[in-house]
Amino acid sequence: MVRFTPCVLAAAAMLTTAEAFAPAATTQRSLTSVSSRNIVTSSNSPTILSDMLTQTELPAKLYFPKDKEAAKYLGGVKIGSRKLTVITGASSGLGLNCAACLAKTGRHFVVMAVRDVEKGKRVAKEFGMPEGSYVVMKLELGSLQSVRDFVSNLKAFKSIRPVDNLICNAAVYKPTDPEPAWTDDGFEQSMGINHFGHFLLTNLMVDDMAKAKGARMCIVGSITGNTNTVGGGLVYPQADLGKLQGFESGAREPISMADGKPFFGAKAYKDSKVCNMMTVSELHRRYHDSTGIAFSSMYPGCIADTPLFREKRPWFRKAFPWFMKYVTGGYVGMEEAGERLAQVVDDPECTKSDVYWSWNGGAQQVGRWSPDGKPRGAGGSGGEIFENAQSDAVRDRETASKMWDLSAKAVGLTEKDKPKAAESS
């Protein structure tokens, strides 16, 4: 079995790093959107603005009082005996494929927590999600008020029925932005949406989920946040929270980075993923014993054609999937990635808490050739699920505890908000 040479490592680093520094293209974007299932929306479609409003094209103000969704009721009748599963960012990419997978099993009633409700309804039908297997609800993670409104509406919808599974999937990635953009609460958007919004949401949901038998909460992690992997350790910049100087100073505008240093879009995303994975460890440490909730993170493999890369240059969007498929073996398709995320909350094997789930030999490998002549490794297609190892930085309990306390302060977590479940020491 032949391992890839250091030249491949260097090539991977150069391919990804060069793009991290490249300025955004200035050419006019086409107003034709093609989904992962080749569903084409013409430029005359009234929803095209929503399609083009990707993770890197967010308005200055994300949530207004008029955006507050009217509460839905009598959800318990619709849910029936199925598991109640909430998925953030469920209107595209990984989240949508996961939602469709779970809904089609017949074992889950899915709450699609999305920024654009109308888009969520449309894509659910396009993906063939059975009627009566889901509901679409408004959630703007770039607004702490929207997070609170969502939780309130969710509780009204489900009544006394507890949530069985919460999947925190939504994320933004802004590697080419020269200047930071801000959430409604003044956080840099990568950290504000990926971490702070989900941090508040998970805290507000712990007590409710503690009432469910076998509840699971998963926050999607990333290879890029683990410096013990090629994607996280070799590709510059590395994730590094420093001493959390930025968090200590409030993490609000004009402070754009966790370590208090100048804005660096690619690093901001990686730092947010470190915080996501640390949050899982802290949730487990503080609340698993008293609630029984299984807290986990996962890396689905390199989804090289994910919408997160829409702002990359055309050559990168074409070359990167090819590179990951045929050079590193790390590529995984969107549908399979969605199935993997669904597995974490559906498979009886995935009930263990404080686990970082991965597939196919480990994300720390760049790639290897298997006997069938196909490249494998780096979380690529196929393989079995296993418990992966996180970097020492992610597992640093002292930093994780400090991150938790400063995050609670940043999002305004009150004594009333905090889980009533007994904290472990």
Side-chain angles (χ1 to χ4, degrees), residues 64-239:
F64 294 90
K66 65 179 179 60
D67 294 329
K68 183 176 181 179
E69 190 177 29
K72 299 177 176 68
Y73 297 96
L74 301 178
V77 176
K78 296 180 180 180
I79 298 166
S81 61
R82 292 171 291 186
K83 297 282 187 180
L84 178 56
T85 300
V86 177
I87 307 173
T88 70
S91 63
S92 67
L94 178 61
L96 175 57
N97 280 269
C98 175
C101 179
L102 289 173
K104 291 174 183 178
T105 66
R107 296 188 293 272
H108 296 259
F109 182 90
V110 178
V111 176
M112 300 173 67
V114 302
R115 173 182 295 125
D116 186 334
V117 172
E118 292 307 311
K119 178 187 175 183
K121 293 176 180 178
R122 174 171 57 81
V123 297
K125 291 180 179 179
E126 291 173 352
F127 266 58
M129 292 175 65
E131 261 191 68
S133 67
Y134 66 93
V135 66
V136 183
M137 297 181 67
K138 175 78 175 182
L139 172 61
E140 172 51 71
L141 286 161
S143 164
L144 298 178
Q145 184 58 54
S146 178
V147 174
R148 292 180 179 278
D149 289 345
F150 168 76
V151 172
S152 176
N153 286 344
L154 175 62
K155 290 180 177 180
F157 172 74
K158 68 182 185 58
S159 188
I160 60 173
R161 175 76 160 76
V163 169
D164 296 282
N165 305 299
L166 172 61
I167 298 175
C168 297
N169 157 76
V172 298
Y173 178 48
K174 307 165 79 67
T176 59
D177 282 15
E179 300 293 335
W182 309 97
T183 69
D184 289 357
D185 303 283
F187 303 125
E188 185 277 320
Q189 284 188 359
S190 297
M191 187 62 74
I193 292 170
N194 303 356
H195 169 58
F196 285 127
H198 280 134
F199 181 86
L200 177 60
L201 177 62
T202 55
N203 273 273
L204 295 179
M205 293 303 301
V206 166
D207 283 337
D208 181 85
M209 294 181 66
K211 301 171 186 175
K213 182 179 179 180
R216 306 185 203 181
M217 185 183 295
C218 177
I219 305 179
V220 176
S222 173
I223 188 175
T224 64
N226 278 299
T227 53
N228 63 335
T229 66
V230 171
L234 181 64
V235 180
Y236 183 79
Q238 291 186 1

Side-chain angles (χ1 to χ4, degrees), residues 312-335:
K312 294 292 190 180
R313 295 186 180 197
W315 72 263
F316 181 89
R317 296 198 302 270
K318 291 180 180 178
F320 191 51
W322 181 92
F323 184 82
M324 296 306 295
K325 284 180 183 178
Y326 301 112
V327 178
T328 72
Y331 174 87
V332 60
M334 194 74 74
E335 184 174 359

Side-chain angles (χ1 to χ4, degrees), residues 14-48:
M14 287 167 55
L15 180 64
T16 317
T17 306
E19 231 358 76
F21 289 104
T26 56
T27 53
Q28 180 66 38
R29 294 187 182 87
S30 166
L31 288 183
T32 300
S33 173
V34 185
S35 80
S36 60
R37 297 207 176 203
N38 297 320
I39 301 168
V40 179
T41 306
S42 73
S43 58
N44 295 324
S45 168
T47 60
I48 191 63

